[in-house]
Amino acid sequence: MKILIALTAMFFAFNSFSKMITKEVRYKMGDTYYKSQLVFSDKVPTNAPLVLMVPNWRGMTEGSLTKAKKVAANKYIVMLADVYGENVRPKNNDEAKVAATKMRSDVPLLRKATNKAIDILKEEGKKLKANQENIAAIGFCFGGGAVLESARSGKNLKAVVSFHGNLNTPDPKDAKNIKASVLVLNGAIDPAVPKEQIADFEKEMNEAKVDWQFVNFSGAVHSFTNPEANSKGRSEYHPVAAKRSFTMMNNFFDEVFN
């Protein structure tokens, strides 16, 4: 009898593990093809929220895909968004800087590519019986700036989360278009996001009467969620800040999606 109970327990324990499913999603905008990755658990519930994730300036890397799986867990359907186009896959930071700078210098294109990815995510979400109302966009570094620009464009989102992303924008008045609740997670000593940029962002959000939150993590600089970041004093992984930031994101979603 004890053996049967033990085997039964092992069976249920084994079946409690979830399997992460990854699906390549190819689509076209204008003359450019994009290749994003849809990520979800085989145990994701019906009516799950949809989350678009724009990665850092390195784009569609294995590290970003791993992070997308972490975000998805058993709760969300996530799409890791290709906003460069399928033929742009930076091999190093120098190439990434060129690609990101090109997109940041053309904010209308950046918004358009991000918003197109959201539309594709919604289409894919329908097939999985996802919640078409509970949609969020999150981004890391360059991606954080991208999802904020999507919000400023007036995209219909419930929530936007920027992890150590840039906050500046060509026209702060566009914040009046924001429909989403906004959470910004920032390294308190990030040299890439100076105090003046933070002050301008707060003024922008307040004047537009956006529902926003801003969190500074002590001791954290840029890229604090990236385990591969190791440029001391500038771009460094901070495990405590990383863990807290993902917890805050999930708590934020629990609030906004209910």
Side-chain angles (χ1 to χ4, degrees), residues 72-237:
N74 290 332
K75 295 182 69 174
Y76 313 119
I77 296 168
V78 175
M79 192 167 85
L80 179 62
D82 173 14
V83 296
Y84 290 155
E86 68 176 5
N87 292 324
V88 180
R89 294 291 185 266
K91 298 182 183 66
N92 52 51
N93 285 346
D94 289 337
E95 291 185 8
K97 184 177 181 180
V98 171
T101 300
K102 180 179 178 181
M103 293 299 288
R104 283 295 301 170
S105 65
D106 190 347
V107 170
L109 176 61
L110 178 60
R111 292 179 177 184
K112 188 176 179 182
T114 306
N115 290 344
K116 177 67 174 181
I118 293 169
D119 292 340
I120 296 299
L121 171 60
K122 289 180 70 175
E123 290 177 12
E124 293 295 323
K126 284 181 183 178
K127 302 172 188 176
L128 298 169
K129 299 181 181 178
N131 190 317
Q132 294 289 305
E133 301 300 321
N134 285 345
I135 305 173
I138 70 172
F140 298 82
C141 299
F142 160 78
V147 296
L148 286 173
E149 289 300 345
S150 173
R152 292 179 178 113
S153 77
K155 197 63 175 173
N156 193 20
L157 298 163
K158 277 276 187 76
V160 166
V161 184
S162 170
F163 294 79
H164 40 80
N166 56 285
L167 308 174
N168 56 319
T169 187
D171 189 355
K173 292 179 182 177
D174 285 348
K176 69 180 183 299
N177 301 317
I178 295 176
K179 300 180 176 70
S181 295
V182 174
L183 173 62
V184 173
L185 303 165
N186 186 67
I189 52 174
D190 184 350
V193 185
K195 290 181 180 179
E196 296 78 11
Q197 192 176 123
I198 295 172
D200 288 344
F201 176 78
E202 291 178 350
K203 182 174 183 288
E204 174 195 358
M205 295 294 107
N206 285 333
E207 289 184 352
K209 295 181 170 54
V210 175
D211 175 26
W212 68 281
Q213 300 174 62
F214 189 99
V215 179
N216 261 330
F217 294 105
S218 64
V221 291
H222 206 57
S223 301
F224 60 79
T225 66
N226 183 2
E228 297 176 3
N230 59 6
S231 178
K232 191 167 181 60
R234 179 165 182 82
S235 178
E236 254 183 298
Y237 180 55

Side-chain angles (χ1 to χ4, degrees), residues 52-72:
L52 185 86
M53 175 181 151
V54 183
N56 63 25
W57 66 355
R58 288 294 298 272
M60 305 294 289
T61 64
E62 283 300 316
S64 290
L65 184 59
T66 297
K67 190 175 287 185
K69 292 176 181 178
K70 178 179 179 179
V71 171

